[in-house]
Amino acid sequence: MKNYGFTTLAVNGPFENKDAFGAAAQPVYLSTTYAQPATDRPGEYAYSRGGNPTRADLEACLAALEGGRAAFAFASGMAAISTVFNLFNSGDHIVINNNVYGGTFRYAAELFAGRGLSASFIDDFNSLDFDSLPKYVKGIFIETPSNPLLKITDIRRTAEEAHKRGMLVIVDNTFMTSYLQRPLELGADIVLYSATKYYGGHSDILAGLVTANDAAICEKLKLLQNTTGNALSPFDCALMRRSIKTLALRMERHETNAKLLIEFLLRHKNVKKIFHPSTAGRDERRIHAAQSKGDGAVFSMILRDGIDIEKFAASLRLFQLAVSLGSVESLICRPASMTHESYTPEMRERAGITDSLLRVAVGIEDADDLIGDFDRALSLAEA
Ligand SMILES: *Cc1c(COP(=O)(O)O)cnc(C)c1O
């Protein structure tokens, strides 16, 4: 299995998992209960919350793609994130990068205190002196590139420093996917996804995925999935499994389109700044290049002063004004009011999420059409 490339595994899955009838596409096992061989002899599956063949197939495929020991599929990215936060105990502190998914921030801000957890938000892990962190820090939660400013965190350094102090390192790898970045191989303990985004890729499945290497962590995640009852439904698992087959093809097209669009925008007089791994500072670019295979297709931008962003967004025909990302269709949103509204105004200011910032998720349409759409809207917004 190790010898096969990413897309071969994404299409075929782990080879020991073949369907008994040779079905080329994964069958959907809707049954919630399974007949057992005997009262004292459990079968492979008993009850769908604890385990389901369609879900197991998806989870095995993800584990193979990530190089994880096991993977777990959840009803949403936030279900995956809350399950991972459930690994922590009262008194634990988690350090999170300060531009992180709005829902992750909301969870920490609204639910941590009641569970006896606490969090702090840090701008830059790369220059962080880990000795300055208190002893009760038990976890590090990062997104790299971050959301929405695409800042880069050195996963390897963070994991090394954190592990010296017994901290668990969690990476939300939603923007990259395992096709572009594999944090477990860089030392992270847990990698999680909103699979609603690139893994699903078509804006029609809400899902979350988690993978890990350590046997004890995997066991605990399995217990939590079964006990909290937040697993992904069989039908959604089958749709997700189908989506993963084209993940590499889609990512390549997303990336090519993003690269061409960004090249165009960097030359445009109405664009002030682009935030993307390809336009980051030298140190960040070097770190990102060492830990990933590409720059991804999400970027943020600030238009020149005097350009009306409402008019700009309304003039676009191919970029829908909508939250989310990672789908075949192109989307644009204003993070301050659409995805990061759970941040306090001070947090937004500290994290650099200004009212003029727009986030773009580039789809797989024809690049010329996307560029033409931006060109037209940038001119109309000038008037
Ligand atoms: C969307 C998103 C989430 C939340 O996932 P849902 O599937 O919407 O629950 C978490 N992290 C990142 C980076 C996201 O973009």
Side-chain angles (χ1 to χ4, degrees):
M1 208 167 89
K2 280 258 181 306
N3 297 329
Y4 288 116
F6 186 93
T7 305
T8 306
L9 280 176
V11 170
N12 294 287
F15 287 83
E16 64 271 25
N17 266 34
K18 281 300 174 206
D19 175 65
F21 300 107
Q26 178 59 24
V28 188
Y29 287 87
L30 293 174
S31 184
T32 51
T33 190
Y34 294 82
Q36 305 299 297
T39 57
D40 58 355
R41 230 170 359 106
E44 192 172 354
Y45 297 99
Y47 187 63
S48 198
R49 173 161 36 72
N52 170 284
T54 312
R55 192 166 88 227
D57 179 68
L58 168 65
E59 293 175 335
C61 178
L62 185 81
L65 293 178
E66 299 277 345
R69 173 189 293 268
F72 304 90
F74 294 95
S76 69
M78 283 315 300
I81 288 168
S82 60
T83 301
V84 168
F85 283 150
N86 260 330
L87 294 169
F88 293 93
N89 299 309
S90 182
D92 292 351
H93 185 95
I94 301 165
V95 183
I96 304 175
N97 62 301
N98 77 358
N99 68 99
V100 74
Y101 179 67
T104 304
F105 177 79
R106 184 190 299 120
Y107 191 102
E110 303 285 338
L111 301 187
F112 268 20
R115 294 202 41 227
L117 301 174
S118 56
S120 50
F121 294 88
I122 280 196
D123 183 49
D124 181 12
F125 279 95
N126 300 335
S127 58
L128 175 68
D129 172 10
F130 279 70
D131 281 331
S132 69
L133 296 175
K135 287 272 176 287
Y136 53 87
V137 173
K138 290 288 155 57
I140 303 283
F141 187 109
I142 53 177
E143 275 178 45
T144 178
S146 66
N147 184 2
L149 289 167
L150 293 300
K151 289 190 185 172
I152 305 301
T153 296
D154 186 334
I155 299 172
R156 206 186 288 276
R157 172 188 188 262
T158 302
E160 274 169 14
E161 294 292 322
H163 287 160
K164 280 185 214 157
R165 295 160 180 86
M167 303 165 186
L168 212 59
V169 176
I170 302 152
V171 179
D172 180 338
N173 202 35
T174 299
F175 277 31
M176 290 274 102
T177 79
S178 54
Y179 181 63
L180 294 180
Q181 181 168 280
R182 294 147 63 94
L184 289 181
E185 290 173 0
L186 301 164
D189 299 293
I190 297 174
V191 178
L192 62 84
Y193 293 95
S194 169
T196 312
K197 314 296 166 54
Y198 287 108
Y199 273 101
H202 298 73
S203 298
D204 55 7
I205 322 165
L206 191 67
L209 297 167
V210 180
T211 180
N213 251 328
D214 179 74
I217 293 174
C218 289
E219 196 128 318
K220 190 81 195 284
L221 288 168
K222 177 130 191 80
L223 173 85
L224 285 167
Q225 188 189 45
N226 184 27
T227 305
T228 60
N230 53 6
L232 191 63
S233 81
F235 197 79
D236 287 342
C237 286
L239 270 182
M240 182 60 67
R241 183 67 194 84
R242 183 177 73 170
S243 291
I244 287 176
K245 296 183 187 200
T246 57
L247 177 65
L249 300 181
R250 286 185 280 111
M251 290 311 285
E252 279 170 19
R253 177 66 170 238
H254 280 296
E255 279 212 291
T256 307
N257 280 357
K259 186 165 174 288
L260 294 169
L261 182 58
I262 288 170
E263 273 168 14
F264 165 79
L265 292 174
L266 286 171
R267 290 192 308 264
H268 201 290
K269 67 180 190 338
N270 289 350
V271 176
K272 193 152 128 189
K273 191 163 169 57
I274 299 280
F275 300 87
H276 186 246
S278 66
T279 63
R282 214 184 58 193
D283 284 351
E284 282 186 281
R285 278 212 314 279
R286 182 181 47 75
I287 294 167
H288 185 71
Q291 69 187 13
S292 77
K293 243 180 67 180
D295 292 335
V298 177
F299 68 90
S300 290
M301 61 192 279
I302 296 177
L303 300 180
R304 181 169 64 76
D305 297 336
I307 303 294
D308 183 341
I309 70 167
E310 271 321 317
K311 198 158 176 193
F312 168 67
S315 304
L316 289 165
R317 287 178 181 149
L318 297 176
F319 291 78
Q320 301 178 56
L321 181 64
V323 299
S324 203
L325 57 105
S327 212
V328 289
E329 63 274 356
S330 292
L331 305 174
I332 188 165
C333 72
R334 187 170 76 141
S337 58
M338 294 174 72
T339 60
H340 286 67
E341 77 290 356
S342 62
Y343 276 48
T344 60
E346 301 79 63
M347 267 293 293
R348 275 204 294 274
E349 160 135 19
R350 200 147 63 82
I353 305 169
T354 59
D355 286 345
S356 60
L357 189 75
L358 295 170
R359 191 187 75 191
V360 180
V362 184
I364 66 163
E365 301 91 335
D366 291 290
D368 285 347
D369 292 336
L370 298 180
I371 290 168
D373 200 37
F374 257 65
D375 197 18
R376 203 182 122 268
L378 284 167
S379 303
L380 287 171
E382 209 175 279

